[in-house]
Amino acid sequence: MEGDDCSFPPDSADDHSQRGSVASSATLSRAQDVLVYLFGDSAVHLTVEGLGSVTVTELGRSVHEALNVPEAAHDAFAFWLCSPLLELQLKVRHQPYKLCRQWQDLLYRFTEASGEDISQDEPYLQYRRNVFYHKSKELQIDDEGVLKLLYEEARNNILSGRYPCDPEHWMSLGALSLAIEEGTGLDGQQFTATVREKKLTSYVPAHVTLGSGGLLSTLRGKSSRLAGLEQKLLEEYRKIPTSAAIPPEPTQLLHQYLNTCHTLPYYGCGFFFGEIDKQGQGILQRGKRKAVNVGICLEGVYVMDVKEKHVLLGLRFSQLSWDHSYPEEEGDSHILWLEFDGEEDGTPVNKLLKIYSKQAELMSGFIEFCLELKSASEGAAAVEMDGEVSVSQQPAGQEGSKGNGRGGRRGVLHRQSSVVCSRVHSLNTISYVDNGKEIKRLKPKRAASFFTRQTSAATYSAATYSAVQVTESLEQG
């Protein structure tokens, strides 16, 4: 995923930048076939003149026409260059062909992949959700084709585990997916035949069907577990409102699916790969790292365990400070630093989480751009609501006051069983306080942030660092 302020390297004539699948300059003036992939195993086939200089904007016109995307929904989607090693959302001015020529340079710069893997990697062009498109705007879309595109992407992220969710969520979503594709009128036999023909993993995340507990227990209990999942899926399917005379409209089911996904705070995130330190449990465990996905959206930052498919840390922008550091010596890593409020033995402290990643620069730029967009949208909303009573002016005890304003008293992050909730206790963080002269660890005195890059709407000054606050949204992420 591309940070707005991070520039790509210039086009190079080096041998490792030339891709074997890229057409020669002599053929670029002729019409070329281009495949733009969609989620759901489909693609748009275009014939493009002047491929070497065509921009995202020009490709967009052709794809919008081919898919009949209404003008009001154009901003909902963007073009991405993707491969198993890297995903980048392109800007409207980008020229995809030229970026393909630079793909290996980008992989060397932003991934830890080996030279052999990089030499074999090939990007593909994909038309998918724009990470800067606000969820609230999706609720206003009624076009079935557009909703289906958004549904296919959300479904892919649910089934792959990129969007961690609890059993009640993925089971409900699986039932809705079945209803969208097969209708709501299946009886028990038809349901079983359909699920077994298409496989349960078409409706339930793959890691759920595999279970846990080792290979032997997995093999021993697989049939009974799958049967249990099928039964629960059938029960959820039967809960979907239906009528023999008036079955639900496809758009109703699609909206219901997307609305359920909207309850996940990281829906619509751009994702980056990184690693964090594992908690040390002995000398042999020291120095080991855990693979994480870092999701960033217009609301905040979410760090997720790649293996366990759950959230390790979820913070809204008002609850964190961040910075990015470059390697100082050979062998050092790029680091994205996330700072947030925590507690050690009842003592309020600042906590620092180190995320090791060559994509730290992208993440930092992306956070900054999200804040700029958020500040601009909030400024526009403030103008529209001028004269109305703000949430901070409501009397204590009203619904709007329970979030605790900036600088209010901090609550405690509670440990919960939900995969959506933060697991701060499982993170290997640095805890410290600042006594005004030097950084000290675990001293019972609170002070300002270690970083100057923070998320105040007007400025990133240490004086306006906001405490982590217990709100409904925090408990959800």
Side-chain angles (χ1 to χ4, degrees), residues 108-412:
Y108 277 111
R109 179 176 175 183
F110 295 124
T111 76
E112 300 285 355
S114 67
E116 181 179 357
D117 288 341
I118 288 175
S119 67
Q120 297 176 1
D121 193 63
E122 291 281 353
Y124 59 90
L125 191 61
Q126 190 172 42
Y127 185 71
R128 57 196 261 196
R129 192 184 188 280
N130 177 5
V131 76
F132 302 118
Y133 193 72
H134 203 281
K135 289 187 290 188
S136 62
K137 292 185 177 180
E138 282 190 11
L139 302 176
Q140 303 169 21
I141 296 175
D142 292 319
D143 184 88
E144 184 178 345
V146 173
L147 292 173
K148 193 70 183 292
L149 290 172
L150 294 169
Y151 154 77
E152 289 287 1
E153 181 172 349
R155 175 175 173 269
N156 177 274
N157 287 333
I158 291 291
L159 295 180
S160 67
R162 176 169 272 193
Y163 289 169
C165 55
D166 294 315
E168 61 270 22
H169 279 121
W170 49 249
M171 196 61 77
S172 172
L173 291 170
L176 282 170
S177 184
L178 183 62
I180 288 168
E181 296 172 11
E182 305 294 334
T184 57
L186 299 180
D187 59 27
Q189 283 188 329
Q190 293 171 325
F191 172 90
T192 301
T194 300
V195 170
R196 292 183 181 178
E197 177 187 353
K198 295 192 173 183
K199 296 186 178 180
L200 194 59
T201 50
S202 296
Y203 307 104
V204 174
H207 68 275
V208 173
T209 63
L210 293 175
S212 58
L215 178 61
L216 290 179
S217 62
T218 297
L219 294 175
R220 196 179 301 126
K222 183 177 181 180
S223 59
S224 61
R225 183 173 60 256
L226 293 182
L229 290 172
E230 278 187 20
Q231 181 59 36
K232 291 179 181 178
L233 186 63
L234 176 59
E235 292 170 3
E236 285 296 322
Y237 177 77
R238 286 173 171 167
K239 291 179 184 178
I240 298 173
T242 184
S243 167
I246 310 176
E249 293 287 335
T251 53
Q252 289 179 268
L253 297 173
L254 291 167
H255 269 136
Q256 193 173 344
Y257 191 100
L258 292 172
N259 286 343
T260 302
C261 290
H262 285 186
T263 63
L264 303 173
Y266 31 79
Y267 173 80
C269 276
F271 287 90
F272 305 81
F273 180 78
E275 293 180 324
I276 61 174
D277 292 315
K278 284 187 174 182
Q279 283 189 317
Q281 298 178 352
I283 296 177
L284 296 179
Q285 290 291 328
R286 292 179 183 175
K288 292 190 175 183
R289 294 178 183 175
K290 175 185 295 187
V292 295
N293 282 328
V294 182
I296 304 174
C297 63
L298 294 173
E299 277 74 41
V301 180
Y302 301 88
V303 182
M304 308 173 197
D305 191 310
V306 170
K307 181 180 178 182
E308 299 299 332
K309 310 295 184 188
H310 60 217
V311 175
L312 295 169
L313 180 67
L315 296 169
R316 292 191 174 273
F317 288 129
S318 60
Q319 299 162 345
L320 65 86
S321 301
W322 90 100
D323 209 344
H324 154 239
S325 60
Y326 293 90
E328 294 183 357
E329 299 178 2
E330 187 175 353
D332 289 351
S333 302
H334 290 262
I335 297 175
L336 179 73
W337 300 82
L338 296 181
E339 181 192 48
F340 56 98
D341 285 3
E343 192 175 273
E344 292 282 350
D345 299 324
T347 300
V349 296
N350 297 67
K351 284 185 174 289
L352 283 176
L353 178 67
K354 296 167 65 176
I355 302 176
Y356 305 93
S357 175
K358 275 194 170 182
Q359 298 175 16
E361 181 184 2
L362 291 178
M363 289 188 264
S364 180
F366 187 56
I367 291 172
E368 192 155 4
F369 188 61
C370 283
L371 287 168
E372 291 174 4
L373 291 178
K374 188 175 178 66
S375 177
S377 63
E378 288 176 350
V383 171
E384 292 179 6
M385 297 180 64
D386 187 28
E388 296 183 14
V389 178
S390 66
V391 172
S392 62
Q393 292 173 317
Q394 293 181 13
Q398 286 192 11
E399 188 70 19
S401 65
K402 66 181 181 181
N404 276 338
R406 294 181 65 86
R409 182 172 179 175
R410 172 193 315 106
V412 178

Side-chain angles (χ1 to χ4, degrees), residues 41-57:
D41 298 325
S42 60
V44 178
H45 187 174
L46 302 176
T47 301
V48 179
E49 301 256 354
L51 179 61
S53 59
V54 70
T55 65
V56 165
T57 299

